[in-house]
Amino acid sequence: MSQGLIRIRGARQHNLKNLDLDIRTGELTVVTGPSGSGKSSLVFDTLYAEGQRRYVETFSAYARQFLDRMDKPAVDKVEGVPPAIAIDQTNPVRSSRSTVGTMTELNDHLKLLFARLGQLFDKETAQAVRHDSPETIYAELAARAAQAQDPRLYLTFPVELPANTSAEQVAQWLSASGFTKVQAEREVATPTGPRKVLDVIADRFRLGNAEKARVIEAIEVALKRGGRLNVYAEKPSASDAAPAEFEQWRFSTGLHCPDSDVRYSDPIPSMFSFNSAVGACDTCRGFGRVIGVDYGLVIPNEKLTLRAGAIKTIQTPAWKECQDDLMRHAETAGIPRDTPWEKLTPGQKDWVIKGSPDYKGKWNQQWYGIKRFFEYLESKAYKMHIRVLLSKYRSYTECPTCHGARLKTESLLWRIGSHAEATAVLPLDKRFMPAGVKWTRAQLEALPGLSLHDMMIMPLDRLRQFFDRLTADGPSAEQKALQLLLEEITTRLKYLCDVGIGYLTLDRQSRTLSGGEVQRINLTTALGTSLVNTLFVLDEPSIGLHPRDMNRITQAMHRLR
């Protein structure tokens, strides 16, 4: 801020007694004094209020209706006050949608980064899924053919025909289309009935003997006619008389996995935001939690046995019949009734909670389980006493669909970074397994990079280490834009760690933060905006800080100048 003076004349706000004061701009000015001496009356209720009021007055009448209006302070004259921003210790946030990531705007930067730099992995096979072009397919064919000692390749594309198509009709179609041979034939089920699928040969050759232009042309024809490319690589046979065996390599256009036949949509920023309907989990609507049965309240004392009343809900006279059913069916199923709950095996606990594995709806012949018991109560929730009973055993529980990640499964399949960069900041056993995928734990640990939720649950200081190692690869113009984005993320993470809150995580709810933490987050947000000629008013910025961190907060305030 340029050097100048803020002149206050005749300040009488609250307990101020006609105070005259000059404050130089472009400097750090500290206002101290005992409690009740008028510090806040001068700084917040006079200086900040007047600066904010004058700034709001510059907007149109239409815009001012959406902004908080501040009353004119009791003062004769205030000159030279710039637009003001107050960074205090109050935490006005009450919504569980607000997190550290949304307060610092890091979530906004991360969703842009994932939409531009993310790499997609199939939810069934864990294979990388990307946009294939004839050039990339040729490069992949060359690599695979070199490993397989240049086998004979048959480039084919699939064609669907009615199931009752005769061999003569197939031959007639082939000749009319300009093709002569079919590599394989199979029948698939579709919603309209069975269909015959032919793998028609577009070309065949050994890659080492074929010109690149010929291979590219065959790939383009196959992709144009069938949308997919199935390459049959002939395996070496033990003898000439033995029938040929083939290994199949699949390729396709767009974000499509040819092995699992799952097609994905192109990434957009809103797909990685839990505050958008596009990316938010459909079950919890982006909150990460749902109101459900808390089995910690259903079984409050794990030292009790089933016979002694471990299941608290069914111990009343009204539900004694359910306790009798449990005892009878537990004896039949071989479940210990006189063993403390905490000593039962996971399978035995699962039987009590979920009921018999082969339950067919006959409640008097099979154990229906505590879960179905509560589902029955839900169906009777129109009765007041049932609603009262349910309220005793309900609480916020982790969303069963997204496992607390707040996002849809498709949004959690995208990853950023390499395996080494991810392993350096997050142990393999701590990686988040998205709900709805068919991966094994080994497949997850072999994947490169981190998913968005992995970044959300990491402390900020570790996340900063990850982004310090990350670089943007791609076309020059796009690379420059990504580099600017990475620099902004790295700068904000640096500020957060510099003011001593590197232990927080991005998914930490804002309403659980202390006043000092909120103030330091707001301070880093102000640093990230790079505002000039602005008056920043801070309320005890050192509160809650260890003495060794005082130098950090002082340096952060110096940057505001």
Side-chain angles (χ1 to χ4, degrees):
M1 184 185 293
S2 59
Q3 191 70 36
L5 277 179
I6 300 175
R7 296 181 177 86
I8 303 174
R9 299 290 181 266
R12 300 178 303 277
Q13 187 74 10
H14 299 320
N15 56 346
L16 297 178
K17 305 298 183 183
N18 207 27
L19 183 68
D20 294 343
L21 182 68
D22 289 346
I23 300 175
R24 285 187 295 184
T25 59
E27 295 181 353
L28 294 177
T29 302
V30 182
V31 180
T32 63
S35 178
S37 61
K39 301 186 300 296
S40 296
S41 298
L42 171 64
V43 175
F44 281 97
D45 299 328
T46 302
L47 193 57
Y48 166 68
E50 184 64 14
Q52 180 71 1
R53 187 186 68 81
R54 291 185 184 183
Y55 176 63
V56 171
E57 288 296 328
T58 63
F59 291 100
S60 65
Y62 175 76
R64 286 202 300 268
Q65 68 179 326
F66 301 108
L67 301 172
D68 291 332
R69 302 288 297 275
M70 303 196 74
D71 295 331
K72 182 177 174 62
V75 61
D76 290 343
K77 183 170 61 174
V78 180
E79 295 178 351
V81 61
I85 293 177
I87 304 177
D88 56 16
Q89 297 170 19
T90 58
N91 187 356
V93 178
R94 291 293 175 265
S95 170
S96 58
R97 282 194 181 276
S98 177
T99 63
V100 172
T102 57
M103 283 184 72
T104 58
E105 299 175 359
L106 277 169
N107 278 18
D108 296 326
H109 292 86
L110 287 176
K111 68 183 184 183
L112 288 172
L113 188 67
F114 269 86
R116 299 289 176 267
L117 197 62
Q119 186 178 4
L120 175 64
F121 293 88
D122 182 54
K123 62 182 178 182
E124 294 186 11
T125 64
Q127 295 177 359
V129 181
R130 57 180 180 270
H131 285 283
D132 274 330
S133 65
E135 288 288 344
T136 60
I137 293 175
Y138 177 81
E140 181 68 17
L141 281 178
R144 293 191 185 187
Q147 291 180 353
Q149 299 178 352
D150 197 18
R152 187 170 181 80
L153 303 180
Y154 297 78
L155 273 63
T156 71
F157 59 90
V159 174
E160 275 193 20
L161 296 173
N164 57 358
T165 305
S166 63
E168 292 78 9
Q169 290 173 319
V170 169
Q172 184 179 358
W173 180 88
L174 285 173
S175 61
S177 303
F179 301 98
T180 57
K181 291 184 176 292
V182 174
Q183 176 65 23
E185 182 179 319
R186 59 190 181 278
E187 194 170 285
V188 296
T190 65
T192 58
R195 302 277 289 178
K196 182 181 291 187
V197 178
L198 309 177
D199 281 341
V200 180
I201 296 178
D203 204 347
R204 51 184 177 177
F205 42 70
R206 291 186 187 274
L207 202 62
N209 301 331
E211 295 181 357
K212 181 179 178 179
R214 174 186 174 185
V215 181
I216 294 290
E217 182 183 2
I219 294 172
E220 289 175 343
V221 168
L223 293 176
K224 182 180 178 181
R225 298 299 296 259
R228 303 180 199 174
L229 171 66
N230 295 331
V231 180
Y232 288 84
E234 189 173 341
K235 295 181 179 179
S237 56
S239 64
D240 296 338
E245 294 184 358
F246 296 93
E247 181 183 357
Q248 200 172 125
W249 304 335
R250 298 183 176 92
F251 302 93
S252 59
T253 55
L255 288 177
H256 175 266
C257 180
D259 290 327
S260 64
D261 198 18
V262 177
R263 186 168 293 278
Y264 301 92
S265 58
D266 289 325
I268 54 176
S270 58
M271 193 170 127
F272 302 99
S273 171
F274 55 78
N275 284 327
S276 166
V278 178
C281 168
D282 291 326
T283 302
C284 65
R285 297 288 188 266
F287 285 97
R289 302 183 305 167
V290 293
I291 296 178
V293 177
D294 186 346
Y295 289 101
L297 300 175
V298 176
I299 309 169
N301 187 356
E302 295 195 353
K303 291 182 169 57
L304 293 179
T305 64
L306 293 179
R307 193 189 299 275
I311 313 298
K312 181 182 176 182
T313 317
I314 57 177
Q315 301 309 310
T316 60
W319 306 108
K320 185 178 181 301
E321 183 183 359
C322 298
Q323 173 71 8
D324 295 339
D325 290 342
L326 173 60
M327 291 295 98
R328 185 174 71 257
H329 295 308
E331 182 181 12
T332 305
I335 304 297
R337 296 174 295 173
D338 298 305
T339 301
W341 177 264
E342 62 186 3
K343 294 185 179 179
L344 293 179
T345 65
Q348 292 167 346
K349 292 180 180 179
D350 206 50
W351 181 90
V352 175
I353 299 295
K354 296 182 180 179
S356 302
D358 56 345
Y359 183 73
K360 296 182 174 61
K362 299 179 179 179
W363 61 270
N364 56 347
Q365 297 180 15
Q366 294 174 299
W367 173 238
Y368 35 83
I370 299 300
K371 184 177 179 181
R372 291 191 182 92
F373 169 73
F374 276 101
E375 289 173 359
Y376 165 77
L377 292 181
E378 291 282 358
S379 68
K380 302 293 182 182
Y382 58 87
K383 299 178 181 178
M384 176 61 75
H385 69 283
I386 297 293
R387 292 201 298 275
V388 172
L389 175 66
L390 285 170
S391 68
K392 294 179 181 179
Y393 300 100
R394 274 182 175 155
S395 67
Y396 280 106
T397 57
E398 185 182 82
C399 174
T401 303
C402 66
H403 293 175
R406 299 176 175 232
L407 296 168
K408 294 177 180 175
T409 303
E410 288 73 15
S411 305
L412 299 171
L413 301 177
W414 296 81
R415 307 179 77 84
I416 285 178
S418 66
H419 191 275
E421 292 167 344
T423 309
V425 295
L426 187 67
L428 294 176
D429 59 336
K430 298 293 184 182
R431 289 193 180 184
F432 178 73
M433 174 72 79
V437 300
K438 297 181 181 179
W439 303 341
T440 62
R441 190 73 206 177
Q443 284 178 315
L444 173 66
E445 293 176 359
L447 292 179
L450 298 175
S451 68
L452 184 55
H453 190 60
D454 287 330
M455 296 183 184
M456 292 290 130
I457 60 178
M458 282 172 56
L460 295 176
D461 50 4
R462 286 195 187 178
L463 192 61
R464 178 188 173 187
Q465 295 173 21
F466 175 76
F467 277 101
D468 284 343
R469 296 183 175 95
L470 198 63
T471 56
D473 299 322
S476 57
E478 186 178 355
Q479 187 176 1
K480 289 180 181 178
L482 287 174
Q483 199 60 45
L484 288 173
L485 191 56
L486 284 172
E487 287 174 4
E488 184 67 26
I489 292 172
T490 306
T491 302
R492 290 188 183 240
L493 288 171
K494 179 179 180 297
Y495 288 157
L496 288 166
C497 294
D498 284 349
V499 296
I501 50 176
Y503 56 87
L504 294 178
T505 59
L506 289 179
D507 71 340
R508 171 83 173 265
Q509 290 188 15
S510 304
R511 62 183 182 182
T512 65
L513 299 172
S514 68
E517 288 170 338
V518 169
Q519 187 178 32
R520 278 174 270 164
I521 287 174
N522 290 335
L523 177 61
T524 59
T525 304
L527 286 169
T529 56
S530 302
L531 292 173
V532 295
N533 295 327
T534 305
L535 174 65
F536 291 96
V537 182
L538 287 82
D539 181 16
E540 298 181 4
S542 61
I543 192 167
L545 274 181
H546 193 278
R548 69 181 178 213
D549 294 325
M550 283 303 302
N551 187 44
R552 294 180 176 182
I553 199 77
T554 305
Q555 290 176 354
M557 287 190 289
H558 275 294
R559 291 195 196 100
L560 288 174
R561 295 196 294 175

